[in-house]
Amino acid sequence: MSTQAASRDVTAAASGTFLLGGELPVNRLGFGAMRITGPGIWGEPADRAEAIAVLRRSVELGVNFIDTADSYGPHVSEELIAEALHPYPDGLVIATKGGLTRQGPDQWTAVGRAPYLRQQVELSLRRLKLERIDLYQLHRIDPRTPVEESLGELRALQQEGKIRQIGLSEVSVAELEHSRSLAEIVSVQNRYNLADRASEDVLDYAEREGIGFIPWFPVATGTLARPGGVLDAIAKRHGSQPAQLALAWLLRRSPVMLPIPGTSSTAHLEENVAAAGVSLTDSEFDELAKLAS
């Protein structure tokens, strides 16, 4: 399928569905709302109208899983989502995160204390105009705070009906296993892409356990996309862009994979969603899998 045809005809529904926690159906190709903020994930976007348009277009293209965080902006991403999409269409799952504080552009400090997380949940509910957050993720395990305290508070908020499901971000298999003894964990969000598969063991564990795996920075290809290389050759064969091949590979890699490519451009969004219509052959998948091995 050509890029042009895919952009016109394909929606995120073509990526297949996954049941978060066995109960929340989402199309596997979602949208990450980090890049709709300013430089360094700080402040307002350069083009607010375009950021709003991107969010609305994502839903038009069948995206029903949007991932954000209170630290994106901070606050800006959540506020834009509410401005663009509230009242929310039926079936739209908005996931947010808490546990990283901001001191400036590209600065992030983990804070996992119970009172802080409770405050952030309440503020996210207010900004997103929600009565309950479908998926709330601990953005980082705070090395200065026992994870028992952090997850204990999220579990309490879940029992109060303010959180539906709990997820984690940037954890090891051991941390994930321990966390599951403290609370039901339905998703894990680790850096993972065609060029960087350091979290392969976490992905394998998530797949065995039926836990959603949300790869952040999913379209990174680095030097793999160099002209004349394998990725470039396969992309030309499909009439696609290397980033689309990277997303198609992720979707093929595991049924629990939930890529969330982000962008501040409507054209780039449409290109990313079109990746759901790219079908790799077995040999192409294997060729790409060997690139970072």
Side-chain angles (χ1 to χ4, degrees), residues 67-106:
D67 177 84
T68 185
D70 61 20
S71 57
Y72 296 165
H75 312 156
V76 174
S77 178
E78 291 182 332
E79 291 167 351
L80 287 169
I81 288 169
E83 180 180 340
L85 301 174
H86 189 272
Y88 301 114
D90 291 342
L92 178 63
V93 173
I94 298 175
T96 193
K97 298 181 286 292
L100 280 183
T101 61
R102 304 302 305 280
Q103 293 73 45
D106 292 317

Side-chain angles (χ1 to χ4, degrees), residues 27-264:
N27 291 331
R28 291 175 57 213
L29 187 59
F31 178 74
M34 183 173 74
R35 296 292 175 188
I36 59 173
T37 63
I41 323 304
W42 185 259
E44 293 285 333
D47 188 338
R48 188 180 184 87
E50 178 69 0
I52 295 292
V54 166
L55 288 164
R56 290 176 176 164
R57 183 62 176 146
S58 70
V59 173
E60 291 173 354
L61 290 171
V63 170
N64 61 4
F65 179 58
I66 295 178
D67 177 84
T68 185
D70 61 20
S71 57
Y72 296 165
H75 312 156
V76 174
S77 178
E78 291 182 332
E79 291 167 351
L80 287 169
I81 288 169
E83 180 180 340
L85 301 174
H86 189 272
Y88 301 114
D90 291 342
L92 178 63
V93 173
I94 298 175
T96 193
K97 298 181 286 292
L100 280 183
T101 61
R102 304 302 305 280
Q103 293 73 45
D106 292 317
Q107 297 179 42
W108 314 79
T109 301
V111 176
R113 297 189 302 273
Y116 178 75
L117 291 176
R118 176 168 289 271
Q119 168 186 283
Q120 296 310 102
V121 168
E122 294 287 0
L123 291 173
S124 288
L125 285 167
R126 185 186 305 175
R127 285 189 293 267
L128 289 166
K129 299 181 180 179
L130 290 169
E131 294 183 0
R132 179 177 65 175
I133 296 167
D134 281 329
L135 174 62
Y136 194 85
Q137 303 154 94
L138 182 62
H139 211 158
R140 290 293 186 276
I141 292 178
D142 180 357
R144 299 165 300 177
T145 303
V147 71
E148 288 82 357
E149 177 181 339
S150 302
L151 288 178
E153 190 64 18
L154 295 186
R155 183 76 181 95
L157 287 157
Q158 185 179 49
Q159 292 169 340
E160 293 167 23
K162 295 177 179 180
I163 292 173
R164 183 169 183 173
Q165 297 180 341
I166 298 171
L168 297 174
S169 180
E170 279 305 307
V171 292
S172 66
V173 170
E175 288 170 331
L176 179 53
E177 285 186 317
H178 177 58
S179 295
R180 294 182 72 205
S181 72
L182 305 170
E184 182 179 359
I185 304 297
V186 306
S187 68
V188 59
Q189 185 168 158
N190 277 23
R191 178 175 168 134
Y192 185 91
N193 53 56
L194 189 58
D196 179 359
R197 293 178 236 163
S199 289
E200 198 84 51
D201 58 340
V202 180
L203 171 58
D204 289 340
Y205 177 90
E207 184 172 333
R208 288 195 305 271
E209 299 297 319
I211 296 169
F213 185 91
I214 307 169
W216 62 272
F217 208 26
V219 297
T221 55
T223 59
L224 299 183
R226 64 187 180 278
V230 173
L231 182 59
D232 180 55
I234 296 176
K236 288 179 178 176
R237 195 182 308 157
H238 283 267
S240 302
Q241 298 299 317
Q244 292 175 313
L245 267 292
L247 288 169
W249 187 88
L250 287 174
L251 290 168
R252 173 79 181 269
R253 169 63 182 83
S254 171
V256 305
M257 189 82 76
L258 308 174
I260 49 167
T263 178
S264 59

